[in-house]
Amino acid sequence: MTDLKPKDFASSLDVRWCPGCGDYAVLKSLHKMLADTGAKLEDTLCVSGIGCSSRLPYYMATYGFHTIHGRAPAIASGAKLANPDLDVWVFTGDGDGLSIGGNHLLHALRRNLDMQIVLFNNQIYGLTKGQYSPTSQKGMRTPSSPGGTVEMPLNPARFAIGAGSKFIARSIDTQAKVLGPILQAARDFDGTAFVEVLQNCVIFNDGVFDHLKDKKQGPDHTIVVEHGQPMVFGVNKDKGIRVKPGGFGLDIVSLEEDGVTEADLLVHDETNHALAVALAELGEKDGEPTVLGILFREQATEFGTASRIGLPEKPLSMTEKLIHLSATLRAAETWDVEEDAA
């Protein structure tokens, strides 16, 4: 086979999202990344749940499965366990993944099965016409909260940390220079990689991330962290993050004020769990930058490998499976399981 181009990963179907939807940018970044990394159509599976973002498998020339509300991680897990050679991607939204699908997402993250989960976060239910979602800001007025929401929003990256995810990253839909490398790193990671994409819904929540995306002022409101690099940000690279005096929490500082220099700033360590928690929560208060990039990455035992320990290398035939099943059903009501001394 010849090397595939980004266009080769696009299906023949017309892409039907609203004009200007951030999903287009994510789809384009995905096509380019898969082509650049030498992915194969026949080895790639895209699984989704319900919602605008979950239409993505239709626009991929790979295998795809548009499943049911919130259950994409479960179905993707089954596909990966059945065929470990598949490159499995899950596409979900803040409503699909964190509301009805919260339980499935939580357990997929903690198991650490080798697949990628990309959560599109537009802080609204788009497909079902603008109801507030688990990530909507408190006080937001929607058809389902005409008086303003009373709930505190859920932080997807913080949720992933709490679920025990070993790879957590965040990007913005239209920032291909950040999103592309993150998607590639997620694909290369041996385990479950969780990627939150801040995505604009032009119909029901337009402009919610404009302050982060603005080319002139956005750098004052975002910081792209990189392992081993000091945490510097700002339009003029004159701001930074350091540990608060006293040792707890993070401080936003201006360089060269009060004698602060780059040497005083935190150096990003993507293996530091406590730091990842603090970074995930930045941006929730005025004056704090939203953190983009890989917040946390730590290699651990991959579930697919662990679940196959003790199993025969060669899969059992159907006849052998029936023999084993029959013997188990006809055995005693209890039995002892002993480790092989060898």
Side-chain angles (χ1 to χ4, degrees), residues 42-45 75-89 112-116 187 189-191 302-309 311-315:
E42 66 272 21
D43 292 336
T44 306
L45 171 65
I75 293 172
S77 296
K80 181 66 179 182
L81 289 172
N83 185 354
D85 294 331
L86 284 176
D87 181 21
V88 178
W89 292 79
N112 200 38
L113 184 63
D114 188 19
M115 61 183 181
Q116 299 76 241
R187 184 173 184 265
F189 184 70
D190 187 19
E302 191 270 327
F303 179 80
T305 300
S307 66
R308 289 188 290 273
I309 293 176
L311 295 178
E313 293 185 7
K314 181 180 179 181

Side-chain angles (χ1 to χ4, degrees), residues 7 24 36 43 63 150 166 230 308:
K7 64 179 182 179
Y24 286 95
D36 290 346
D43 292 336
Y63 287 106
V150 297
K166 301 301 181 183
R308 289 188 290 273

